[in-house]
Amino acid sequence: MSERRVSPDDDDCSSLLSRLGSDSPRPRMKYGGMFCSVEGAFENKTLNFDTFSPQTQRRRATRTQTGSCDGGDGGQGQMVVFSSGHARENYGKRQGDRLIIKGGKIVNDDQSFYADVYIEDGTIKQIGENLIVPSDVRTVDAYGQLVIPGGIDANTNLHSPQKGLNPADDLYQGTRAALSGGTTTIMDHVLVEPGTSLLSVFDQWRETAEQKACCDFSLHLDVARWHEGLYEELETLVKDKGVNSFLFFMAYKDRCQSSDSQLYEAFGVLRHLGAIAQVHAENGDIINEEQKKLLCFGITGPEGHVLSHPEEVETEAVYRAITIAKQANCPLYVTKVMSKSAADVIANSRKKGIVVYGEPITASLATDGSHYWSKDWATAAAFVMSPPLNPDPSTPQYLTSLLACGDLQVTSSAHGSFSTAQKAIGKDDFTLIPEGTNGIEERMSVVWDRAVSTGKMDENEFVAVTSTNAAKLFNIYPKKGRIAEGCDADVVVWNPKETKTVSAQTHNLTVEVNILEGLELRGVASVVISGGRVVVEDGKLNVTEGSGRFVPRKAFPDAVYRRIRARSKMAEARGVPRGNYDGPVHDVISMTKSVPPTPTSRGPPGPKTQSGPRNLHQSGFTLSGAQIDDHIPRRSTQRIVAPPGGRSNITSLS
Amino acid sequence: MSDCRRQWNREDELPVYLAGPIATGPNQRKSFGMFSSVEGAFESKTIDFDNYAVGRKGSRTPRSGSRERLLDAGGAVGKTSSQARQGSLSDPPGEQDDARAGVEVRLSPGVDSADGQSEKLLIRGGRVVNDDQSLYADVYIEDGLIKQVGENLVVPGGVKVIEANGRMVIPGGIDVNTCLMKSYLGNRPVDDFFQGTKAALAGGTTMIIDHVTPQPGDSLLMAFEHWQEAADKKACCDYSLHVDIPQWDETVKYELELLVQEKGINSFQVYMAYKDVYQMSDSQLYEAFTFLKQLGAVVLVHAENGDLIAQEQRKILGMGITGPEGHPLSRPEELEAEAVFRAITLGNRVNCPVYITKVMSKSAADTITQARRKGSVVFGEPITASLATDGSHYWSKNWAKAAAYVTSPPLSPDPTTPDHLNTLLACGDLQVVGSAHCAYSLSQKAIGKDDFTLIPEGTNGVEERMGFVWDKAVAMGKMDENQFVAVTSTNAAKIFNLYPRKGRIAVGSDADVVIWDPDSTKTISAKNQQSASEYNIFEGLECRGGSALVLSQGRVVYEEGKLQAQQGAGRFIPCKPFPDYAYQRVKFRNQVKQGVTRGMYDGPVHDVAPMAKYITPSPSARTSPTFNQPPPIRNLHQSNFSLSGAQIDDYIPRRSGHRIVAPPGGRSNITSLG
C-alpha cells in the first residue's frame, strides 16, 4: 500500500493518482482524478469546502511531508518543530518522552477537573497541580483545552480481506489515521475463514499488526463457522492469548452465517469462558432472497445494496440475537447499529434488563443512506457497507440521542475502506461491491460535533462513549480509557473550539473517497500522545510503523459479567417434585417403533434428536468443566415419599 | 378459578354430577373440591356421549343450581331449557326472571318436519348484532339462508317462530383454529370431527376451520382429501380447512396451486418451530411466503424459534426436569415474541399478509401491535386458553392437570396475560379468536410422563371460546357487542374470504345464527362438556354469557341445553384466494422499486479475476452474501425488467441503449465528471 507514496510528488493529487492510473484504462488526472467522486458528492452540498477551510492547506502539506518520509527514510528522518521547542531526538525511542501537560482540564467519564499530567515511560505518573517533575521535561500546553483519555475504536477492519482484496487502508495507514483523529487504541477484527485454525490466523494477524500498527491494538475474532471443535481454540485464545470477544455473523448466507442453534451453543461457550459475544446482526436469509429479487428486477447499482438490506432485516436480527443471548445468558455486543429501529430494540431490551450493548459507528452518526441513490456510481459505492446506512435522514440524530442517554454505549468506526477501483468490481452487480466505509479518523470529532456541541451530551459522557465504555466492556480499564496515575499514557488534548472540514484530499487515508466529504466538524484533537509519545501536534503527524503494542484482554470483564454471574445462579429452573405417574398410558410403543423409518412422527420438537429410551438420570449435561450447580446433589433417583404439601401422586390425588 | 374453588369447597353436598351415571369415583373425592370431577373423569371416559348428549349440556347450569332438578330427574335428559336455566349458581332474582322469559320455540300448525332442510324459521323480537351495528329486527330463514331481516316481515304460513325476547341475535361463531384430526405418534385426538363440532355448536360456534396436518413427505393433496372425507362424514357444522405445510420443497408448489385453485383452500400454515420436523429456515419461509402471496393465500405462522427450543429442551432435560413444567421452561415467551417479530419481518419483505396463530404471550401480542402500527399486514389470533387462563398450572403437583395444559406456544406463566390479550383484542390489535382445540386423553398425554417433550400438545377450548370472550372482554366492559361479533366471527370470515356468507346476519347469508344470552352463567367442568376429553383446562371457571339457541344451516341444533347435532351435516365451505381484507393493501404495495439511471462506470476496476479464481475453491473468502450470484456480466442497459404485464413506468421511454451525453443536472458519467 505504501509504495505508491514513493512517486515523486509534484502535487498531492497526482501522487495519489499515480497508482490508480496504472490500472486505469484512461488517465484521469486532468479531471482531478479520483476526486470526481468527491465532485459527485457536491451535488447535494454545493460548497467548495477547500476554499474556506483554514486547515486545508496545512493538512495537505502535512500529508505530503509524511508521505515522503514513509516511502523514504522512515519516520525518524522527519523534522518537526514543536511549540515547546524540543527537538526530535526522542522520537525513535519508545517510551522515551517525559511530558507534562499543563493547564488543561482533565476529563474522565465521571468527572472533570483542572490539573497537570506528568507522563514518563509511557505511563501517567502524576496528576495534580504544581507537580514536582524533573528538569528536562517537555511541556505540552493545554490551556483552554480538554485533556481526555485517548479514544478507543472498538471496531475496525484494517486487515480483513473481502473477495480476496485487502482493504486500501492497512494496519499502518489505518492506525495512522486513527491517531490523527485522537484514537489511540483500536480493536481490529480478525476474520477467521471457515476451515482455518483460529489460533494460526490470530497469531499471523497479531504479527502483522505488530509490524505495522502505530498505536496500541487489540483483536476481536470473527468466527465464520461455529462448531463444537472450536472450543479448545477458544479456550486457548481466551486464557492465553488475551482475546475476550468473538464476533458471529447472522448475515452472509452460505459463507459466514451462523444458525440460531450455532449461536446459542457458541454463546453458551463464550459465557462459560467469560468472553463477550458480538454479532453482525442482519438476517442473511432474507437478504439473500432480496438480492436475487433485485437483480432480477434489473437493479444492479449500489442502491440495490440498501434495498436488499432494509432496516427491518437488521432490526429482526438484533431482536433475535438478543433473544438468543438472553436464553444463553451471555453478554451481547451488537456491532454497527445503523438504524433507528435496531437501536430501539437494543434500548428496549436494556430496559428489560438484558445485558446487551450497542455500537453505532461514525458513518451512522454522521450521515445517512440517501447517497446510495447518487448519480455518481463511485460516491454511491463508497457508502456500501453492511448493515447499510439508513436512508432515513433523521437516523444520525436519533442515534446520537440514544448514545447521549446511555442506551447505546460505544462508538466505533467499522473502518474498512476499499478504493474506488476495488469497489468497481461490483460495478455491474451491487452484491460484489466490497463492503466498508471510512470513519476511523473522524470518529471522535463526529461525536463531539453531533452530540456535545449540540448540547445532547456532556464532555464526560463524550469520554465514556469514545473511550471509557469500550475499555470497561473489553476489560482493559483502567489501563486504557482513563486519565489516572498508573494508566497508559494515551492522552489527547482536545480542542473543542477548532473546526475542521473533512475531505478526501486532506485525510490521512489512502482511499480516494471520504463518505463524510465536506462535513465541517467542531472539535479536533490538537495533541495526541500515544504510549507516552507525542504523535500529533499542530496538525502534524509523526508516527512510527510498528510502534503499536498488542493489548491483551482478560476474560470475565466485571462491567459485563457481574450481572451474568448473578443470573446464572438465579436462573436455575427447578422441577416440580411429583410422584410418578402411574395411571394409564396410551400404548404407543408399537407406534414409535414403526414411526421412525417414515418421517411421520409428529412433532414433539425433538423426537429425532433423542433416540430410544433416554436415561434421564445419566445425562449429566456437562458443557465441559464445572457447572454452576455442581454443589447441589442431584435428586435424580430418589422417590419422593411424602413431599411437602402432601402427596402429589396422581393416583392418590384426592 | 379460585372463586369457584372456594365456592365449591363451601358446599358439603354431593356434587351434582356425582349423582349421574359416572359417579364412580372413590369416596374421598367427594369431600374434596375442585378436581374431583376430573378424577372421576379419567376412568370413565368410556361414556357414550351420544346417550346423554342432549341433556348433558343442560347442566350449563352449574351444579348447585341444578342440583335438585338433576337429582329428581335422575339425569339431565329431557329438561326444558327454562328449567335448566332457572337455578344458576349465583343468580339474582332478576336473572331468573329474565331466564323465564327465555327463548321459546313455538311450532305453528302445519310445519312439516323439524329436521327438514327446508325448515322455515322466524326469529322474532331479537336484537340483531353485527360487527358494525345492532338493531332490533326479525330474521326470517328459509332453506338454510337468511331471507329477510327487518320489522313486520311478511312471511308464509307454517313458520316456526322463535321468540328471542330481546336477546342478541348474532352470526354464528367461526373457530379459525381447530385440530380435530391431528395425529400424534399415530394417536388421534379424542375429539374427532363429530365430537369437536358438537362441542363447537354447543358453544355457539357454527363453523370451524380445521388444520390439515400432513406429515413431512406426505402429499398435501392426499391429506386434504383424507381430511375432507372424514369431515364430510362426521362434522355437524360447516367447516373449512387450513393446510399445514410440513416442509418446503419444489413438489409442494404444484399441490399448493391445485389446492388454492381447485380445492377451495386459501390458507396454509408454516412452522418456525419443531426443529428437524416441520421447521422451515428463513429462506424457505421467504420462498413460501412469496409463493403463497402469488397464489393469494393467507399465510398462517406457528411462531416459535425452534432452534432455541430444541437447545433449551436438551438443557432442561439435562437438568433433570422431566415434568410438564419443562414445557414452558423450554419455550419461554421471548422465543415466541422473537419468532413473531421475524415472521412479520419476512411478511413485510415479501409484502405478504401474515397471520400469527396462537398468540399466547403479552410480548408476542405487543410485537404484533407495534407492527400493525407501522403498517404491516399482520393478524393475531389469541386462543381460548390464552384469553381465559394462564400457565401457572404447569407447576401443578397433579401431573395430569399440568399435562393437560401443554400446548405450543405454552400458556404464559404471567397471570396478567389473559387480561392484556383481552384488552388488545378489544381495541382491535388482535383480530380473531381461535381455540386451537386439540384434545388428547390423559392416557395419550401420559406418553410423555417421563419426558415432557413427548407430551402431545393441545388443549380444549372450542366449546368455551365464545363464552370466555364474552366473560373476559364484554362482561368486563372492555369490548362492546359489535366488537364481540367481529372477533368471534366476522373478522375471521373476512380474513378467510367467507364474508358475507358467514359472519354476518344479512339477507342472503347462511343461516348460522346464535341467540346469545348475556346473562346466563355456567361453570366449566369436564363433567358436563361435550368434548370427549376427561379434562377441561378451564375446570371450575365461571363463565358469563352463553348461547341460548344455535342455528346451523337454518336448523336448530342447540336449544337451551339440548343438542340436536346431526353427524355429517356439515358442508365443506371453499375459500377463494385473495381475500380483500388481507390483500387489498398488499396489492397497492406491490409496486416495484426502481434503480438509479446512471452512466456506465468506466473508471478503473481492480483486477480481481485471478484472485477470484484463486479464492473460489476454498470456501474461505469473506465475501458479500451472494458470491454464487451470476457473474458480473450483466448489462444494465439491456435488462428491461419486466415482471410480467404492465409496469408502472411503461410510459417512460426506456433510455436503454443510448448514451447520455448531457443529462439534466450535469453529466453523471464518472470519467468525465468534474
Side-chain angles (χ1 to χ4, degrees):
Chain A
M1 282 301 147
S2 57
E3 76 271 12
R4 64 180 190 75
R5 303 268 181 192
V6 179
S7 64
D9 34 340
D10 28 11
D11 85 20
D12 45 280
C13 281
S14 60
S15 87
L16 287 168
L17 269 174
S18 57
R19 185 179 59 120
L20 283 171
S22 59
D23 14 6
S24 166
R26 241 186 275 173
R28 291 151 62 234
M29 292 116 175
K30 300 215 172 88
Y31 298 104
M34 72 287 256
F35 296 116
C36 45
S37 54
V38 171
E39 299 298 331
F42 289 158
E43 281 169 6
N44 29 17
K45 294 171 188 155
T46 63
L47 293 176
N48 186 353
F49 289 96
D50 282 347
T51 55
F52 59 78
S53 165
Q55 297 183 350
T56 309
Q57 293 314 313
R58 197 169 61 189
R59 293 251 160 187
R60 191 171 287 178
T62 311
R63 182 184 185 82
T64 320
Q65 189 180 24
T66 321
S68 67
C69 69
D70 293 340
D73 49 359
Q76 274 92 356
Q78 187 188 2
M79 188 65 178
V80 185
V81 180
F82 291 99
S83 56
S84 61
H86 277 252
R88 50 164 188 86
E89 55 265 15
N90 286 332
Y91 292 148
K93 210 167 67 174
R94 181 157 182 96
Q95 301 175 348
D97 277 0
R98 290 171 170 183
L99 291 166
I100 183 160
I101 304 169
K102 279 204 161 163
K105 179 158 86 160
I106 295 176
V107 181
N108 276 321
D109 67 321
D110 52 348
Q111 60 172 352
S112 313
F113 54 93
Y114 287 92
D116 299 344
V117 181
Y118 173 64
I119 293 168
E120 194 182 322
D121 292 338
T123 47
I124 297 171
K125 293 286 184 194
Q126 293 180 59
I127 291 176
E129 292 177 62
N130 307 319
L131 297 177
I132 300 163
V133 296
S135 55
D136 59 336
V137 166
R138 232 187 87 189
T139 305
V140 175
D141 179 13
Y143 284 99
Q145 303 188 45
L146 308 177
V147 179
I148 60 174
I152 298 173
D153 189 337
N155 183 356
T156 63
N157 290 290
L158 299 175
H159 196 56
S160 324
Q162 275 187 36
K163 301 181 183 66
L165 303 172
N166 284 314
D169 293 307
D170 62 2
L171 283 157
Y172 168 64
Q173 294 291 348
T175 50
R176 199 167 150 268
L179 286 172
S180 74
T183 298
T184 54
T185 307
I186 62 153
M187 300 192 189
D188 202 54
H189 278 276
V190 178
L191 178 73
V192 184
E193 282 144 2
T196 40
S197 151
L198 300 182
L199 281 170
S200 65
V201 176
F202 170 80
D203 287 338
Q204 201 187 332
W205 217 280
R206 182 176 162 176
E207 201 176 313
T208 315
E210 274 169 346
Q211 284 165 9
K212 289 187 172 177
C214 321
C215 69
D216 288 355
F217 64 93
S218 186
L219 297 173
H220 305 296
L221 250 79
D222 299 4
V223 182
R225 199 154 294 170
W226 167 260
H227 53 88
E228 296 273 350
L230 292 179
Y231 180 78
E232 307 273 310
E233 287 192 308
L234 285 196
E235 197 174 7
T236 317
L237 282 165
V238 172
K239 292 188 173 153
D240 304 333
K241 300 285 186 177
V243 176
N244 71 1
S245 50
F246 297 86
L247 180 125
F248 296 89
F249 296 94
M250 299 170 80
Y252 305 115
K253 185 164 191 223
D254 297 334
R255 307 215 58 80
C256 305
Q257 188 172 334
S258 298
S259 73
D260 293 358
S261 295
Q262 287 173 317
L263 289 176
Y264 182 90
E265 276 174 25
F267 286 8
V269 168
L270 293 186
R271 183 205 56 213
H272 188 70
L273 295 173
I276 294 171
Q278 301 185 313
V279 285
H280 175 115
E282 282 184 295
N283 188 319
D285 282 11
I286 299 182
I287 291 170
N288 196 17
E289 300 287 338
E290 295 273 317
Q291 285 177 330
K292 278 186 222 159
K293 196 170 83 182
L294 285 166
L295 286 174
C296 284
F297 282 6
I299 296 176
T300 57
E303 69 276 12
H305 181 74
V306 67
L307 292 175
S308 63
H309 293 65
E311 171 173 348
E312 53 194 348
V313 167
E314 182 193 354
T315 314
E316 188 280 315
V318 171
Y319 195 105
R320 186 150 44 100
I322 291 172
T323 308
I324 296 170
K326 156 118 204 280
Q327 285 309 309
N329 192 21
C330 176
L332 180 73
Y333 180 94
V334 180
T335 59
K336 293 186 271 187
V337 176
M338 305 297 283
S339 66
K340 285 158 89 168
S341 50
D344 279 340
V345 169
I346 293 171
N348 288 334
S349 314
R350 288 178 62 84
K351 268 165 213 155
K352 289 184 197 150
I354 295 164
V355 185
V356 57
Y357 304 93
E359 166 205 276
I361 66 167
T362 317
S364 63
L365 292 171
T367 182
D368 60 54
S370 54
H371 304 278
Y372 289 113
W373 280 268
S374 163
K375 292 263 182 190
D376 177 49
W377 191 91
T379 307
F383 285 84
V384 169
M385 66 165 307
S386 289
L389 286 156
N390 201 288
D392 178 350
S394 61
T395 305
Q397 286 189 357
Y398 191 82
L399 293 181
T400 312
S401 300
L402 289 189
L403 192 64
C405 76
D407 282 344
L408 300 173
Q409 293 73 36
V410 179
T411 53
S412 73
S413 67
H415 188 96
S417 52
F418 291 91
S419 68
T420 302
Q422 288 174 321
K423 293 248 180 191
I425 292 166
K427 72 190 169 70
D428 298 319
D429 178 353
F430 65 87
T431 63
L432 300 175
I433 301 173
E435 295 170 354
T437 54
N438 64 299
I440 199 168
E441 185 174 355
E442 298 83 6
R443 186 178 67 98
M444 308 265 290
S445 294
V446 162
V447 177
W448 186 273
D449 182 71
R450 295 295 156 118
V452 186
S453 37
T454 55
K456 286 185 176 175
M457 193 187 264
D458 60 25
E459 57 198 21
N460 304 101
E461 185 67 12
F462 170 75
V463 169
V465 299
T466 54
S467 174
T468 313
N469 286 351
K472 284 179 178 168
L473 289 183
F474 296 110
N475 220 2
I476 48 178
Y477 186 81
K479 192 179 170 198
K480 306 277 184 193
R482 186 167 186 85
I483 295 186
E485 284 172 32
C487 300
D488 276 5
D490 289 345
V491 178
V492 171
V493 177
W494 189 258
N495 186 345
K497 288 166 205 134
E498 206 178 328
T499 60
K500 74 173 171 190
T501 304
V502 179
S503 164
Q505 304 188 21
T506 54
H507 67 196
N508 289 295
L509 297 165
T510 49
V511 280
E512 55 292 57
V513 183
N514 191 316
I515 58 162
L516 306 178
E517 187 71 37
L519 276 186
E520 203 179 348
L521 299 175
R522 282 159 287 185
V524 169
S526 55
V527 179
V528 179
I529 298 161
S530 167
R533 289 178 51 246
V534 176
V535 290
V536 174
E537 196 167 21
D538 286 340
K540 294 185 200 71
L541 197 56
N542 177 42
V543 297
T544 315
E545 188 165 355
S547 61
R549 294 163 304 176
F550 176 72
V551 182
R553 293 177 284 136
K554 285 204 191 97
F556 292 106
D558 266 353
V560 175
Y561 262 89
R562 274 209 195 109
R563 285 184 285 168
I564 295 286
R565 272 193 190 123
R567 286 174 199 192
S568 318
K569 282 175 198 155
M570 290 298 296
E572 253 186 287
R574 288 197 184 81
V576 175
R578 291 189 184 93
N580 283 337
Y581 172 86
D582 48 6
V585 179
H586 205 91
D587 190 17
V588 80
I589 292 134
S590 58
M591 287 305 297
T592 17
K593 267 180 197 156
S594 70
V595 165
T598 66
T600 51
S601 65
R602 180 261 145 147
K608 284 178 184 164
T609 54
Q610 66 223 20
S611 60
R614 166 196 294 270
N615 185 341
L616 196 69
H617 303 309
Q618 285 181 352
S619 83
F621 176 52
T622 60
L623 206 58
S624 90
Q627 292 302 306
I628 197 123
D629 56 351
D630 272 350
H631 61 283
I632 304 173
R634 302 227 177 264
R635 46 158 99 215
S636 44
T637 51
Q638 76 224 36
R639 174 132 179 183
I640 297 127
V641 182
R647 298 193 55 164
S648 62
N649 195 320
I650 188 163
T651 50
S652 63
L653 223 193
S654 41
Chain B
M1 189 140 192
S2 50
D3 298 346
C4 311
R5 281 180 207 168
R6 258 176 268 124
Q7 209 153 15
W8 184 242
N9 288 336
R10 264 188 264 117
E11 300 176 338
D12 334 0
E13 289 119 315
L14 196 66
V16 171
Y17 54 79
L18 288 183
I22 42 175
T24 52
N27 283 339
Q28 74 268 25
R29 267 182 221 148
K30 291 167 196 160
S31 46
F32 293 89
M34 58 287 199
F35 295 117
S36 37
S37 56
V38 175
E39 296 299 322
F42 299 160
E43 298 108 51
S44 53
K45 250 347 187 191
T46 49
I47 348 155
D48 185 358
F49 284 94
D50 292 355
N51 275 346
Y52 35 71
V54 185
R56 264 181 86 247
K57 218 35 219 182
S59 44
R60 193 147 90 23
T61 53
R63 335 141 207 152
S64 64
S66 47
R67 191 182 313 141
E68 331 89 55
R69 254 164 257 289
L70 277 174
L71 287 173
D72 347 5
V77 190
K79 279 186 296 121
T80 65
S81 54
S82 50
Q83 276 175 327
R85 289 201 72 263
Q86 253 174 4
S88 37
L89 184 63
S90 57
D91 37 11
E95 255 190 52
Q96 285 192 352
D97 293 342
D98 189 48
R100 270 183 226 111
V103 176
E104 280 172 56
V105 179
R106 286 177 311 179
L107 217 56
S108 351
V111 166
D112 22 339
S113 61
D115 57 349
Q117 286 292 346
S118 58
E119 204 174 4
K120 296 171 182 171
L121 281 170
L122 179 66
I123 302 172
R124 197 147 67 188
R127 187 154 50 101
V128 174
V129 179
N130 276 321
D131 67 321
D132 51 349
Q133 60 171 1
S134 313
L135 69 163
Y136 284 93
D138 299 344
V139 180
Y140 174 65
I141 292 162
E142 195 182 323
D143 294 335
L145 293 178
I146 296 171
K147 293 287 185 189
Q148 296 179 56
V149 178
E151 292 181 65
N152 306 320
L153 299 179
V154 181
V155 297
V159 168
K160 188 170 157 186
V161 177
I162 298 169
E163 291 291 348
N165 288 328
R167 295 189 191 179
M168 292 165 56
V169 178
I170 60 173
I174 299 174
D175 188 338
V176 282
N177 186 352
T178 64
C179 297
L180 300 176
M181 247 176 78
K182 178 178 181 178
S183 66
Y184 170 77
L185 298 179
N187 291 317
R188 290 271 168 78
V190 289
D191 286 337
D192 61 1
F193 273 110
F194 177 56
Q195 292 290 348
T197 51
K198 241 172 47 177
L201 286 173
T205 297
T206 55
M207 178 168 182
I208 60 161
I209 309 185
D210 199 67
H211 278 276
V212 177
T213 51
Q215 298 302 325
D218 291 2
S219 153
L220 299 188
L221 216 55
M222 303 260 287
F224 164 75
E225 277 160 6
H226 183 51
W227 248 258
Q228 200 183 17
E229 197 182 327
D232 278 338
K233 275 189 209 147
K234 290 185 175 173
C236 315
C237 67
D238 287 351
Y239 69 96
S240 187
L241 296 170
H242 306 296
V243 176
D244 293 9
I245 305 175
Q247 62 186 16
W248 184 256
D249 51 46
E250 288 300 311
T251 57
V252 169
K253 290 187 179 176
Y254 169 73
E255 293 192 311
L256 292 180
E257 215 168 324
L258 211 63
L259 284 168
V260 170
Q261 281 158 8
E262 290 172 24
K263 301 290 183 183
I265 300 289
N266 76 352
S267 47
F268 298 91
Q269 171 150 312
V270 295
Y271 290 91
M272 298 170 82
Y274 305 113
K275 188 169 183 197
D276 299 332
V277 186
Y278 300 138
Q279 188 177 334
M280 290 189 196
S281 72
D282 290 357
S283 292
Q284 289 172 324
L285 288 172
Y286 190 99
E287 274 180 39
F289 281 28
T290 312
F291 188 75
L292 291 173
K293 176 189 148 193
Q294 283 164 10
L295 294 177
V298 179
V299 183
L300 316 181
V301 182
H302 178 113
E304 283 183 292
N305 188 321
D307 277 16
L308 293 188
I309 289 171
Q311 299 275 3
E312 292 285 333
Q313 283 179 332
R314 219 173 297 156
K315 190 173 94 185
I316 283 168
L317 284 173
M319 289 160 79
I321 296 175
T322 58
E325 69 275 13
H327 184 73
L329 289 174
S330 62
R331 293 165 173 263
E333 178 168 340
E334 286 91 348
L335 305 193
E336 186 193 350
E338 187 280 313
V340 169
F341 197 96
R342 189 148 41 101
I344 292 171
T345 306
L346 280 159
N348 285 348
R349 292 326 301 160
V350 179
N351 186 21
C352 164
V354 174
Y355 178 104
I356 309 288
T357 59
K358 293 188 270 186
V359 176
M360 305 298 280
S361 66
K362 285 161 86 167
S363 47
D366 287 341
T367 307
I368 293 171
T369 306
Q370 280 157 18
R372 287 178 63 84
R373 223 158 266 167
K374 286 182 194 154
S376 307
V377 185
V378 55
F379 306 105
E381 167 206 281
I383 66 170
T384 321
S386 61
L387 291 173
T389 183
D390 61 54
S392 53
H393 306 281
Y394 290 115
W395 280 265
S396 164
K397 294 256 183 187
N398 180 340
W399 190 91
K401 185 182 175 196
Y405 287 84
V406 170
T407 184
S408 288
L411 286 158
S412 169
D414 179 351
T416 59
T417 305
D419 206 40
H420 187 76
L421 294 182
N422 277 299
T423 308
L424 293 186
L425 193 64
C427 75
D429 282 342
L430 300 173
Q431 292 73 37
V432 184
V433 182
S435 69
H437 187 92
C438 183
Y440 290 100
S441 70
L442 176 61
S443 63
Q444 286 171 330
K445 291 257 181 191
I447 293 166
K449 72 189 169 68
D450 297 322
D451 180 350
F452 66 86
T453 63
L454 296 175
I455 301 173
E457 293 167 355
T459 55
N460 63 301
V462 72
E463 185 175 351
E464 299 82 4
R465 188 179 67 99
M466 307 263 293
F468 274 121
V469 176
W470 186 272
D471 181 69
K472 301 281 176 185
V474 188
M476 301 290 282
K478 288 185 175 177
M479 191 188 268
D480 61 22
E481 55 193 22
N482 304 101
Q483 180 73 0
F484 171 72
V485 169
V487 298
T488 55
S489 175
T490 312
N491 287 350
K494 285 179 178 170
I495 292 173
F496 297 108
N497 224 357
L498 299 161
Y499 189 81
R501 182 176 175 186
K502 304 281 184 191
R504 187 168 184 83
I505 294 185
V507 176
S509 300
D510 276 2
D512 289 349
V513 177
V514 171
I515 298 184
W516 189 257
D517 181 2
D519 302 317
S520 78
T521 310
K522 67 176 169 183
T523 305
I524 310 289
S525 165
K527 283 302 172 184
N528 44 26
Q529 67 183 3
Q530 293 294 333
S531 162
S533 67
E534 61 277 74
Y535 204 99
N536 191 317
I537 59 165
F538 310 109
E539 190 70 37
L541 282 186
E542 206 176 305
C543 177
R544 281 161 288 181
S547 49
L549 184 134
V550 179
L551 291 178
S552 170
Q553 300 172 19
R555 290 189 316 111
V556 178
V557 289
Y558 177 83
E559 188 189 348
E560 292 297 347
K562 278 176 291 183
L563 194 60
Q564 297 164 342
Q566 194 184 336
Q567 188 162 356
R571 299 164 299 181
F572 174 71
I573 311 287
C575 306
K576 285 196 196 115
F578 292 108
D580 267 355
Y581 194 69
Y583 267 91
Q584 220 165 38
R585 284 179 287 172
V586 166
K587 280 177 193 158
F588 279 102
R589 293 178 193 184
N590 254 344
Q591 293 171 2
V592 161
K593 298 167 190 121
Q594 281 185 290
V596 174
T597 318
R598 292 189 182 91
M600 288 282 275
Y601 173 87
D602 48 5
V605 178
H606 204 277
D607 192 16
V608 79
M611 286 303 289
K613 267 180 203 154
Y614 170 71
I615 287 297
T616 318
S618 74
S620 54
R622 178 198 177 169
T623 46
S624 83
T626 47
F627 198 76
N628 299 326
Q629 284 294 307
I633 337 166
R634 173 188 296 272
N635 182 340
L636 189 66
H637 300 308
Q638 282 181 354
S639 80
N640 257 330
F641 173 52
S642 70
L643 199 60
S644 86
Q647 294 302 310
I648 198 129
D649 57 349
D650 271 349
Y651 62 94
I652 306 173
R654 302 229 175 259
R655 39 159 110 208
S656 45
H658 49 96
R659 175 128 182 187
I660 300 128
V661 183
R667 301 191 54 165
S668 62
N669 196 319
I670 188 162
T671 49
S672 58
L673 231 185

